[in-house]
Amino acid sequence: MPAYNAGAILDVQELYDDNGVLTYTVSQLSENLTLPKPVKDRLDARYEINWELGPFKVTGYVDSSTFEIGIEISVLGIQLGNFYGNLKDGLVVNIDLFLAKGKINFYLKNGKEVWVHVDVSITFDGSFNQDVKLLTLPI
């Protein structure tokens, strides 16, 4: 499956050439994970999240010592952004796009399981309403 990102970060440069013609150059910047790197002395507490379901893609981490979660979410290739929270409280991202409406909820279950609940309608692809276990923290 080819990877694409409609929410790509772009750099636009505007230059005039020697003849006075205005020229634009558009370059795509790196698509690297933009979440913060783990603190050196807590590398063993951070667990990766890398999950996809239909038009949804979630990458990020969970810190097992604090239950902090940091995630990047894309829907239909549109990068929604970086989101941070604590799984003890839950983390909800409401989505109100032209082609997608609903919410994605990240939560802790049974004290150590990381779950996501997706309740989103996609205009051309029906709806998604399900809970998925992402990982079990070794605590």
Side-chain angles (χ1 to χ4, degrees):
M1 173 184 217
Y4 67 94
N5 187 349
I9 300 171
L10 305 175
D11 178 42
V12 180
Q13 297 290 321
E14 175 182 310
L15 300 169
Y16 287 92
D17 69 11
D18 294 338
N19 297 320
V21 176
L22 180 59
T23 304
Y24 290 92
T25 301
V26 180
S27 304
Q28 183 172 351
L29 299 179
S30 174
E31 291 183 24
N32 292 336
L33 185 69
T34 60
L35 295 168
K37 302 288 184 221
V39 179
K40 191 175 188 178
D41 61 345
R42 291 180 42 193
L43 286 172
D44 59 340
R46 192 173 279 196
Y47 294 88
E48 179 181 2
I49 296 173
N50 193 359
W51 174 75
E52 293 184 44
L53 172 68
F56 307 99
K57 182 175 182 179
V58 175
T59 56
Y61 66 86
V62 174
D63 187 315
S64 64
S65 65
T66 63
F67 296 105
E68 173 191 35
I69 183 170
I71 52 172
E72 288 182 344
I73 301 175
S74 66
V75 177
L76 298 166
I78 300 168
Q79 188 78 16
L80 301 184
N82 295 349
F83 305 95
Y84 304 93
N86 192 292
L87 287 172
K88 289 181 182 178
D89 303 322
L91 173 63
V92 177
V93 178
N94 291 312
I95 300 168
D96 187 14
L97 304 175
F98 182 68
L99 295 175
K101 298 192 184 308
K103 69 179 180 177
I104 300 176
N105 179 17
F106 297 86
Y107 61 97
L108 193 63
K109 187 174 180 180
N110 300 322
K112 61 182 181 178
E113 297 173 353
V114 180
W115 285 72
V116 61
H117 175 76
V118 178
D119 186 6
V120 179
S121 295
I122 305 294
T123 300
F124 61 85
D125 198 23
S127 62
F128 294 81
N129 188 353
Q130 59 185 302
D131 291 274
V132 178
K133 183 169 113 175
L134 300 177
L135 62 103
T136 300
L137 298 171
I139 53 176

